[in-house]
């Protein structure tokens, strides 16, 4: 097996490790690392790791800890340039040098100004053989959220909408129970791989959702909850408020919203973030996403209704969209799921690329990716 094929094989393994951290490492990226020694012409893995919950420890130090003395003279594949700055822990690049790694395969240079090539320079200056840009596109895909936060000061947003076969998301002011059991399980799994679930206050008032990951054994992976609420109208009896001490809940409101209401929410353990209004008097969603990115949020799963969905798309903030369509019809006038601007964007090949639809249980799922 050639060295380049081994490098790619190990990098693919490192990328699968990195994915385990998605939704749990912010503000840090989700990184994977694999260390191996050659035994004849075969690679033998001696260490592996991925960024742990809360962003520490880093993938590289986890892999080095597992490898121990076997790291000396070994090769390492890492999905993002090792850090070069002193933070809560020493730089990973220095730890790699100290461990005696002789060769590093790196997928992607870190755009963070504190790193941005400095980690690679530390490795080169120490005489370590460095191969860069291995499976670069795949690594960018895994860490789209982190890269967008650094490069564009906004998080990566996945938008999920469910509709009946005749195109409705709700009726009589209430959301419909549209998706089948398998689709709902898939949604809960998606929640666990994002930093935050986001909805608008209208969804809170009409549906009073939990917004948690309720798959068996995965409740602890529930992300924080973000509510877009211009006037702080979220009821104090809402589930997201009553459980804010267990699952973090943030409300993004207008800069002139009630101070008294904010004080009451803070007593319930809710974090309130104030941003400017848009031209229509609502929370400016661009400013809201910039505020979340500044705090460190990298990946958002938006489960709000058609109003929030359309606002996000109009403002160019959505990167991935899933439309879940039930075979059942509402059979009367209801709340249209795909509003005109959203529908127009979805089927504009310059804005979104559609993947072939597939069936999840009895539901049809359509997936769209933003064109870059």
């Amino acid at each position: 097996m050639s060295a380049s094929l081994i490098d790619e094989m190990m990098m693919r393994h490192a990328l699968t490790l990195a994915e385990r951290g998605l939704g749990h490492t912010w503000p840090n990226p989700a990184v994977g690392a694999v260390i191996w020694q050659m035994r004849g012409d075969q690679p033998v893995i001696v260490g592996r790791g991925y960024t742990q919950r809360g962003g520490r420890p880093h993938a590289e130090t986890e892999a080095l800890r597992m490898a121990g003395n076997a790291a000396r003279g070994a090769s390492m594949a890492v999905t993002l340039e090792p850090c070069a700055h002193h933070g809560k822990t020493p730089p990973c690049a220095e730890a790699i040098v100290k461990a005696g790694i002789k060769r590093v395969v790196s997928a992607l240079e870190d755009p963070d100004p504190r790193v941005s090539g400095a980690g690679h320079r530390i490795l080169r200056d120490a005489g370590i053989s460095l191969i860069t840009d291995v499976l670069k596109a795949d690594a960018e895909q895994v860490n789209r959220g982190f890269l967008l936060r650094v490069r564009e000061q906004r998080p990566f947003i996945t938008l999920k909408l469910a509709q009946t076969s005749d195109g409705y998301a709700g009726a009589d002011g209430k959301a419909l129970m549209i998706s089948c059991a398998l689709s709902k399980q898939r949604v809960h799994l998606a929640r666990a791989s994002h930093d935050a679930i986001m909805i608008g206050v209208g969804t809170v008032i009409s549906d009073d959702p939990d917004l948690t990951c309720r798959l068996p054994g995965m409740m602890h992976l529930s992300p924080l909850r973000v509510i877009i609420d211009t006037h702080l109208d979220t009821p104090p009896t809402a589930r997201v408020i009553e459980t804010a001490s267990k699952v973090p809940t943030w409300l993004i409101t207008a800069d002139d919203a009630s101070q008294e209401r904010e004080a009451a929410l803070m007593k319930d353990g809710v974090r309130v973030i104030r941003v400017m209004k848009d031209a229509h008097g609502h929370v400016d969603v661009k400013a809201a996403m910039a505020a979340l990115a500044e705090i460190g949020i990298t990946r958002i799963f938006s489960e709000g209704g058609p109003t929030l969905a359309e606002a996000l798309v109009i403002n160019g903030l959505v990167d991935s969209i899933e439309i879940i369509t039930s075979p059942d019809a509402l059979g009367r006038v209801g709340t249209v799921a795909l509003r005109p601007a959203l529908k127009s964007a979805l089927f504009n090949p310059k804005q979104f690329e559609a993947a072939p639809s597939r069936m999840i249980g009895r539901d049809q799922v359509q997936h769209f990716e933003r064109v870059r």
Side-chain angles (χ1 to χ4, degrees):
M1 189 181 300
S2 70
S4 61
L5 284 177
I6 292 173
D7 291 348
E8 286 196 10
M9 180 175 69
M10 294 301 171
M11 186 62 76
R12 290 195 189 282
H13 184 29
L15 287 166
T16 63
L17 291 171
E19 288 176 342
R20 296 184 185 183
L22 290 177
H24 314 295
T25 65
W26 67 273
N28 289 350
V31 178
V34 177
I35 301 171
W36 73 96
Q37 292 273 10
M38 293 302 297
R39 300 288 186 260
D41 61 352
Q42 295 298 316
V44 177
I45 293 174
V46 296
R48 56 188 137 205
Y50 59 94
T51 311
Q52 296 298 294
R53 197 169 180 85
R56 295 286 191 283
H58 288 183
E60 299 94 322
T61 54
E62 284 288 280
L64 290 169
R65 180 181 60 80
M66 178 181 287
N69 291 333
R72 190 157 299 278
S75 297
M76 172 186 279
V78 61
T79 61
L80 186 69
E81 176 185 6
C83 65
H85 58 286
H86 285 266
K88 294 181 180 179
T89 56
C92 287
E94 291 182 3
I96 291 168
V97 173
K98 185 177 180 180
I101 294 287
K102 70 173 184 180
R103 184 170 173 274
V104 171
V105 181
S106 174
L108 186 65
E109 183 176 299
D110 189 341
D112 187 325
R114 298 171 298 175
V115 186
S116 193
H120 285 162
R121 283 195 297 276
I122 289 172
L123 300 180
R124 288 193 181 100
D125 290 348
I128 293 174
S129 174
L130 178 65
I131 298 91
T132 59
D133 297 339
V134 176
L135 300 184
K136 180 179 179 179
D138 297 85
E140 288 183 335
Q141 184 76 1
V142 170
N143 255 315
R144 289 177 293 177
F146 171 74
L147 297 175
L148 278 171
R149 186 178 73 82
V150 175
R151 292 169 177 168
E152 299 183 22
Q153 293 74 57
R154 71 173 183 87
F156 173 89
I157 295 181
T158 301
L159 173 63
K160 187 273 294 183
L161 281 172
Q163 63 178 355
T164 59
S165 62
D166 47 356
Y168 296 111
D172 305 320
K174 296 283 185 180
L176 300 170
M177 299 300 290
I178 295 171
S179 304
C180 71
L182 282 176
S183 290
K184 289 176 182 176
Q185 289 174 8
R186 191 167 176 276
V187 166
H188 281 263
L189 189 62
R191 289 176 176 180
S193 67
H194 288 76
D195 306 348
I197 306 170
M198 182 170 68
I199 60 173
V201 65
T203 300
V204 176
I205 293 171
S206 63
D207 303 336
D208 194 19
D210 285 303
L211 299 182
T212 54
C213 176
R214 294 189 295 279
L215 293 175
M218 294 182 67
M219 181 64 185
H220 68 289
L221 298 179
S222 294
L224 67 89
R225 303 172 295 196
V226 174
I227 316 298
I228 305 296
D229 184 355
T230 301
H231 305 294
L232 293 182
D233 291 327
T234 299
T237 55
R239 292 177 185 174
V240 291
I241 304 302
E242 291 184 338
T243 59
S245 61
K246 297 179 180 178
V247 181
T249 302
W250 298 359
L251 265 64
I252 302 184
T253 192
D255 45 18
D256 62 352
S258 165
Q259 296 284 348
E260 292 77 14
R261 182 71 187 114
E262 177 180 354
L265 287 164
M266 289 176 64
K267 287 181 180 178
D268 288 326
V270 176
R271 180 172 183 173
V272 177
I273 301 167
R274 293 176 178 270
V275 299
M276 62 187 289
K277 290 181 179 179
D278 63 18
H280 305 287
H282 305 302
V283 161
D284 185 306
V285 290
K286 279 190 173 181
M289 296 309 102
L292 291 174
E294 185 175 0
I295 294 169
I297 298 300
T298 65
R299 289 168 58 85
I300 292 178
F301 192 60
S302 180
E303 295 190 60
T307 300
L308 178 59
E310 188 170 58
L312 292 170
V313 169
I314 287 173
N315 283 278
L317 297 169
V318 176
D319 303 283
S320 182
I321 301 177
E322 284 208 345
I323 310 295
I324 302 171
T325 304
S326 166
D328 299 326
L330 177 61
R332 56 191 171 94
V333 175
T335 303
V336 174
L338 305 183
R339 291 189 174 177
L342 172 55
K343 198 168 186 177
S344 174
L346 276 181
F347 297 102
N348 182 344
K350 293 183 179 180
Q351 290 185 261
F352 287 94
E353 182 179 1
S357 64
R358 60 190 185 280
M359 300 301 295
I360 303 293
R362 63 197 294 268
D363 298 334
Q364 181 189 56
V365 179
Q366 293 173 282
H367 186 84
F368 301 83
E369 285 287 327
R370 183 174 181 171
V371 175
R372 289 197 169 272

